[in-house]
Amino acid sequence: MSNQTSVTEFLLLGVTDIQELNPILFAIFFTIYFVNITGNGAILMIVILDSRLHSPMYFFLGNLACLDICFSSVTLPKMLENLLSTSKAISFLGCITQLHFFHFLGSTEAMLLPVMAFDRFVAICRPLHYSVIMNHQLCVHMTVTIWIIGFLHALLHTVMTSRLSFCGPNHVHHFFCDIKPLLDLACGNTELNLWLLNTVTGTIALTPFFLTFLSYFYIITYLLLKSRSCSMLHKALSTCASHFMVVILLYVPVLFTYIRPISGSSLDQDRIIAIMYSVVTPALNPLIYTLRNKEVRNALERKVRRKL
C-alpha cells in the first residue's frame, strides 16, 4: 500500500458537532453495542452448543450473528472512544484497516442474506429434496465463497484508496473511515475510485438484493398456488418474516448510501444512515430472531434453566 501522502493520521469528526450531546450519545451507543454483543453472542453460542439447531438454517444464522458482532466492532469501539476523548485521531494505517474490514464484513453479510433466502426457498418449495440439496458440504462451500468474495471486494477498495495522495485537510466528516469521506480529502484524481464504488459495490449490493427478493417471490407464489391450508401458509410466511425484516433493515440504508451519486449525497445524511446499518441493525437482528423464532427461544430457555 505505497502512497505519496503527507497525511499520517486522520481526525474523525464523529456523529455530531454538539459536544454537550457526547455523554448522552455514548450511553445510547454503548447500550446498543452491549445488546448487540450479548444478543448475537447468545445466538452464536446456542447454535454451536444445541444439537437441535445443527441445520443449514441455523448454520447461516450463526454466521449472521458472528458477522453482526464483528461488523459493529469495526466502528463502534472507536466511536465510543472519540465521544469521550478530545483527540479524534486515527492513524493512516488504522483508517485504511477500518475501511477494509467495514466493507469486508458488510459485503459478506449482504451476500449471506440471499443464501439464507435460498435456504428458505428450498425448505418450503422443495421440502422432500431439502436434505439432499442443502447438504453440509454445499452450505460450507457457499459460506466460504461469500466470505472470500467479501474479502476480495474490500481489498480492491483498500488498495485503491491507500494509493491515493492525501496532502491537504485530514478531517474526516464521519464517525469511521469510509470511502466517500476519504475521497473528498484526496488530492489526486478519484474518478477510478468513484467508478469502482458505483460499479463494484453497487453490484455487490444490488445483486444479492435482487436474488433475495426473487427467492421470496417464488416462495409466496408457490404458497399461494400450492398451499390449501391457512395454518401452513401462516407458518411458512412467519418463518420467513424474521429474515425479510433483516433484509429490509440492511439493504435499504446501504442502497441509499452507495447507489446514490456522490454529487447528490449529504455527509450528515450519510452519517445518520450509516448509524442505522452499522450500529442499530446488528443489535436488532438477535431481537428479531429470538422474538419470532420459537426454536431459538426454546433453546435459550433450556440453556438458562441448565445454568440455574
Side-chain angles (χ1 to χ4, degrees):
M1 294 191 296
S2 60
N3 62 303
Q4 296 178 352
T5 177
S6 59
V7 173
T8 58
E9 65 178 19
F10 293 100
L11 298 179
L12 298 172
L13 297 187
V15 180
T16 179
D17 298 327
I18 306 172
Q19 298 300 316
E20 292 76 10
L21 290 177
N22 285 350
I24 300 171
L25 291 175
F26 177 87
I28 293 171
F29 290 131
F30 180 81
T31 302
I32 294 173
Y33 188 48
F34 178 79
V35 170
N36 175 6
I37 299 297
T38 305
N40 284 301
I43 288 178
L44 189 57
M45 178 190 66
I46 291 299
V47 168
I48 293 172
L49 297 180
D50 196 317
S51 59
R52 296 178 183 87
L53 301 183
H54 288 177
S55 65
M57 176 182 174
Y58 296 106
F59 172 73
F60 297 132
L61 179 57
N63 272 270
L64 180 64
C66 178
L67 281 167
D68 280 336
I69 292 172
C70 298
F71 189 43
S72 286
S73 298
V74 171
T75 58
L76 257 175
K78 184 63 179 175
M79 181 177 74
L80 291 172
E81 177 192 336
N82 288 345
L83 285 171
L84 297 182
S85 172
T86 54
S87 173
K88 315 291 185 183
I90 181 171
S91 68
F92 183 88
L93 180 59
C95 187
I96 295 298
T97 302
Q98 189 180 58
L99 181 151
H100 174 79
F101 280 97
F102 179 82
H103 283 273
F104 166 36
L105 298 166
S107 58
T108 301
E109 181 164 337
M111 290 182 288
L112 178 64
L113 294 178
V115 172
M116 296 175 74
F118 175 72
D119 172 68
R120 292 300 84 210
F121 165 76
V122 177
I124 294 170
C125 302
R126 301 289 186 272
L128 299 179
H129 302 94
Y130 180 75
S131 58
V132 176
I133 298 173
M134 298 302 294
N135 58 73
H136 179 70
Q137 187 177 15
L138 177 65
C139 292
V140 172
H141 283 171
M142 286 194 298
T143 305
V144 171
T145 300
I146 61 176
W147 279 82
I148 291 173
I149 294 173
F151 179 84
L152 294 176
H153 162 249
L155 186 63
L156 173 66
H157 287 305
T158 303
V159 171
M160 293 305 297
T161 305
S162 66
R163 292 176 64 85
L164 293 172
S165 175
F166 296 94
C167 52
N170 66 341
H171 291 72
V172 179
H173 291 268
H174 217 314
F175 61 89
F176 69 95
C177 290
D178 200 4
I179 296 173
K180 280 187 178 181
L182 289 180
L183 293 184
D184 286 340
L185 303 179
C187 300
N189 191 329
T190 60
E191 287 184 7
L192 178 57
N193 299 74
L194 289 172
W195 182 84
L196 289 172
L197 183 64
N198 293 329
T199 306
V200 180
T201 303
T203 302
I204 291 288
L206 281 174
T207 303
F209 183 73
F210 172 76
L211 292 175
T212 301
F213 275 88
L214 185 64
S215 295
Y216 279 110
F217 173 78
Y218 277 113
I219 288 172
I220 293 170
T221 303
Y222 175 85
L223 290 173
L224 291 175
L225 293 176
K226 300 290 184 180
S227 177
R228 291 176 170 80
S229 169
C230 290
S231 60
M232 179 182 171
L233 179 63
H234 178 267
K235 182 180 179 182
L237 290 177
S238 179
T239 303
C240 298
S242 300
H243 180 254
F244 188 75
M245 289 173 67
V246 171
V247 169
I248 295 298
L249 287 169
L250 176 68
Y251 280 129
V252 171
V254 168
L255 289 172
F256 190 76
T257 299
Y258 291 102
I259 302 303
R260 220 176 6 151
I262 194 167
S263 59
S265 65
S266 161
L267 292 173
D268 291 333
Q269 203 172 51
D270 284 348
R271 281 189 285 191
I272 294 170
I273 295 170
I275 289 172
M276 273 302 301
Y277 65 77
S278 67
V279 178
V280 178
T281 299
L284 287 177
N285 287 354
L287 297 177
I288 292 169
Y289 277 107
T290 53
L291 290 176
R292 297 190 60 87
N293 192 301
K294 188 177 180 181
E295 288 181 301
V296 173
R297 288 201 310 271
N298 291 340
L300 284 170
E301 288 170 4
R302 286 193 299 269
K303 193 68 179 175
V304 171
R305 281 199 299 269
R306 286 174 191 168
K307 291 293 182 182
L308 297 176

PDB file of all heavy atoms in Angstrom, residues 137-150:
ATOM      1  N   GLN A 137     -21.923 -30.019   2.936  1.00  0.00           N
ATOM      2  CA  GLN A 137     -20.828 -29.600   2.057  1.00  0.00           C
ATOM      3  C   GLN A 137     -21.204 -28.350   1.274  1.00  0.00           C
ATOM      4  O   GLN A 137     -20.409 -27.405   1.158  1.00  0.00           O
ATOM      5  CB  GLN A 137     -20.469 -30.736   1.102  1.00  0.00           C
ATOM      6  CG  GLN A 137     -19.233 -30.461   0.251  1.00  0.00           C
ATOM      7  CD  GLN A 137     -18.882 -31.645  -0.633  1.00  0.00           C
ATOM      8  OE1 GLN A 137     -19.683 -32.550  -0.829  1.00  0.00           O
ATOM      9  NE2 GLN A 137     -17.669 -31.635  -1.177  1.00  0.00           N
ATOM     10  N   LEU A 138     -22.430 -28.313   0.722  1.00  0.00           N
ATOM     11  CA  LEU A 138     -22.863 -27.152  -0.044  1.00  0.00           C
ATOM     12  C   LEU A 138     -22.950 -25.912   0.845  1.00  0.00           C
ATOM     13  O   LEU A 138     -22.535 -24.822   0.439  1.00  0.00           O
ATOM     14  CB  LEU A 138     -24.231 -27.419  -0.684  1.00  0.00           C
ATOM     15  CG  LEU A 138     -24.829 -26.242  -1.470  1.00  0.00           C
ATOM     16  CD1 LEU A 138     -23.970 -25.911  -2.682  1.00  0.00           C
ATOM     17  CD2 LEU A 138     -26.270 -26.546  -1.889  1.00  0.00           C
ATOM     18  N   CYS A 139     -23.473 -26.078   2.061  1.00  0.00           N
ATOM     19  CA  CYS A 139     -23.601 -24.945   2.984  1.00  0.00           C
ATOM     20  C   CYS A 139     -22.237 -24.340   3.313  1.00  0.00           C
ATOM     21  O   CYS A 139     -22.077 -23.116   3.319  1.00  0.00           O
ATOM     22  CB  CYS A 139     -24.300 -25.394   4.277  1.00  0.00           C
ATOM     23  SG  CYS A 139     -26.025 -25.845   4.052  1.00  0.00           S
ATOM     24  N   VAL A 140     -21.271 -25.205   3.582  1.00  0.00           N
ATOM     25  CA  VAL A 140     -19.921 -24.733   3.895  1.00  0.00           C
ATOM     26  C   VAL A 140     -19.303 -24.043   2.688  1.00  0.00           C
ATOM     27  O   VAL A 140     -18.694 -22.973   2.805  1.00  0.00           O
ATOM     28  CB  VAL A 140     -19.034 -25.905   4.377  1.00  0.00           C
ATOM     29  CG1 VAL A 140     -17.579 -25.455   4.509  1.00  0.00           C
ATOM     30  CG2 VAL A 140     -19.534 -26.449   5.707  1.00  0.00           C
ATOM     31  N   HIS A 141     -19.462 -24.640   1.500  1.00  0.00           N
ATOM     32  CA  HIS A 141     -18.885 -24.062   0.274  1.00  0.00           C
ATOM     33  C   HIS A 141     -19.478 -22.682  -0.019  1.00  0.00           C
ATOM     34  O   HIS A 141     -18.751 -21.747  -0.379  1.00  0.00           O
ATOM     35  CB  HIS A 141     -19.130 -24.997  -0.913  1.00  0.00           C
ATOM     36  CG  HIS A 141     -18.209 -26.166  -0.934  1.00  0.00           C
ATOM     37  ND1 HIS A 141     -18.358 -27.231  -1.801  1.00  0.00           N
ATOM     38  CD2 HIS A 141     -17.113 -26.462  -0.189  1.00  0.00           C
ATOM     39  CE1 HIS A 141     -17.402 -28.124  -1.601  1.00  0.00           C
ATOM     40  NE2 HIS A 141     -16.636 -27.676  -0.624  1.00  0.00           N
ATOM     41  N   MET A 142     -20.803 -22.554   0.120  1.00  0.00           N
ATOM     42  CA  MET A 142     -21.438 -21.261  -0.144  1.00  0.00           C
ATOM     43  C   MET A 142     -20.952 -20.209   0.853  1.00  0.00           C
ATOM     44  O   MET A 142     -20.679 -19.066   0.486  1.00  0.00           O
ATOM     45  CB  MET A 142     -22.966 -21.399  -0.072  1.00  0.00           C
ATOM     46  CG  MET A 142     -23.583 -22.099  -1.264  1.00  0.00           C
ATOM     47  SD  MET A 142     -25.386 -21.902  -1.365  1.00  0.00           S
ATOM     48  CE  MET A 142     -25.913 -22.703   0.149  1.00  0.00           C
ATOM     49  N   THR A 143     -20.846 -20.614   2.122  1.00  0.00           N
ATOM     50  CA  THR A 143     -20.424 -19.673   3.157  1.00  0.00           C
ATOM     51  C   THR A 143     -18.981 -19.228   2.948  1.00  0.00           C
ATOM     52  O   THR A 143     -18.672 -18.024   3.017  1.00  0.00           O
ATOM     53  CB  THR A 143     -20.574 -20.312   4.546  1.00  0.00           C
ATOM     54  OG1 THR A 143     -21.923 -20.762   4.714  1.00  0.00           O
ATOM     55  CG2 THR A 143     -20.231 -19.318   5.641  1.00  0.00           C
ATOM     56  N   VAL A 144     -18.095 -20.175   2.675  1.00  0.00           N
ATOM     57  CA  VAL A 144     -16.682 -19.833   2.434  1.00  0.00           C
ATOM     58  C   VAL A 144     -16.550 -18.939   1.209  1.00  0.00           C
ATOM     59  O   VAL A 144     -15.772 -17.966   1.208  1.00  0.00           O
ATOM     60  CB  VAL A 144     -15.842 -21.122   2.255  1.00  0.00           C
ATOM     61  CG1 VAL A 144     -14.436 -20.789   1.777  1.00  0.00           C
ATOM     62  CG2 VAL A 144     -15.772 -21.905   3.563  1.00  0.00           C
ATOM     63  N   THR A 145     -17.345 -19.227   0.166  1.00  0.00           N
ATOM     64  CA  THR A 145     -17.289 -18.435  -1.072  1.00  0.00           C
ATOM     65  C   THR A 145     -17.661 -16.980  -0.828  1.00  0.00           C
ATOM     66  O   THR A 145     -16.965 -16.062  -1.296  1.00  0.00           O
ATOM     67  CB  THR A 145     -18.218 -19.035  -2.142  1.00  0.00           C
ATOM     68  OG1 THR A 145     -17.795 -20.377  -2.430  1.00  0.00           O
ATOM     69  CG2 THR A 145     -18.184 -18.204  -3.422  1.00  0.00           C
ATOM     70  N   ILE A 146     -18.752 -16.739  -0.089  1.00  0.00           N
ATOM     71  CA  ILE A 146     -19.164 -15.346   0.119  1.00  0.00           C
ATOM     72  C   ILE A 146     -18.190 -14.608   1.042  1.00  0.00           C
ATOM     73  O   ILE A 146     -17.972 -13.400   0.875  1.00  0.00           O
ATOM     74  CB  ILE A 146     -20.611 -15.254   0.665  1.00  0.00           C
ATOM     75  CG1 ILE A 146     -20.747 -15.947   2.018  1.00  0.00           C
ATOM     76  CG2 ILE A 146     -21.599 -15.808  -0.342  1.00  0.00           C
ATOM     77  CD1 ILE A 146     -22.127 -15.785   2.636  1.00  0.00           C
ATOM     78  N   TRP A 147     -17.574 -15.316   1.996  1.00  0.00           N
ATOM     79  CA  TRP A 147     -16.551 -14.672   2.837  1.00  0.00           C
ATOM     80  C   TRP A 147     -15.348 -14.272   1.985  1.00  0.00           C
ATOM     81  O   TRP A 147     -14.797 -13.188   2.163  1.00  0.00           O
ATOM     82  CB  TRP A 147     -16.124 -15.601   3.970  1.00  0.00           C
ATOM     83  CG  TRP A 147     -17.043 -15.616   5.149  1.00  0.00           C
ATOM     84  CD1 TRP A 147     -18.203 -16.326   5.273  1.00  0.00           C
ATOM     85  CD2 TRP A 147     -16.894 -14.897   6.390  1.00  0.00           C
ATOM     86  NE1 TRP A 147     -18.774 -16.091   6.502  1.00  0.00           N
ATOM     87  CE2 TRP A 147     -17.997 -15.225   7.216  1.00  0.00           C
ATOM     88  CE3 TRP A 147     -15.924 -14.015   6.878  1.00  0.00           C
ATOM     89  CZ2 TRP A 147     -18.162 -14.698   8.497  1.00  0.00           C
ATOM     90  CZ3 TRP A 147     -16.085 -13.492   8.163  1.00  0.00           C
ATOM     91  CH2 TRP A 147     -17.191 -13.823   8.950  1.00  0.00           C
ATOM     92  N   ILE A 148     -14.952 -15.132   1.049  1.00  0.00           N
ATOM     93  CA  ILE A 148     -13.802 -14.828   0.176  1.00  0.00           C
ATOM     94  C   ILE A 148     -14.127 -13.662  -0.755  1.00  0.00           C
ATOM     95  O   ILE A 148     -13.314 -12.738  -0.934  1.00  0.00           O
ATOM     96  CB  ILE A 148     -13.388 -16.075  -0.637  1.00  0.00           C
ATOM     97  CG1 ILE A 148     -12.790 -17.143   0.294  1.00  0.00           C
ATOM     98  CG2 ILE A 148     -12.378 -15.703  -1.728  1.00  0.00           C
ATOM     99  CD1 ILE A 148     -12.499 -18.462  -0.398  1.00  0.00           C
ATOM    100  N   ILE A 149     -15.321 -13.686  -1.373  1.00  0.00           N
ATOM    101  CA  ILE A 149     -15.719 -12.596  -2.271  1.00  0.00           C
ATOM    102  C   ILE A 149     -15.767 -11.277  -1.508  1.00  0.00           C
ATOM    103  O   ILE A 149     -15.305 -10.233  -1.999  1.00  0.00           O
ATOM    104  CB  ILE A 149     -17.087 -12.890  -2.923  1.00  0.00           C
ATOM    105  CG1 ILE A 149     -16.981 -14.095  -3.864  1.00  0.00           C
ATOM    106  CG2 ILE A 149     -17.595 -11.667  -3.690  1.00  0.00           C
ATOM    107  CD1 ILE A 149     -18.312 -14.561  -4.427  1.00  0.00           C
ATOM    108  N   GLY A 150     -16.324 -11.310  -0.280  1.00  0.00           N
ATOM    109  CA  GLY A 150     -16.377 -10.105   0.545  1.00  0.00           C
ATOM    110  C   GLY A 150     -14.990  -9.568   0.846  1.00  0.00           C
ATOM    111  O   GLY A 150     -14.761  -8.347   0.796  1.00  0.00           O
TER     112      GLY A 150
END
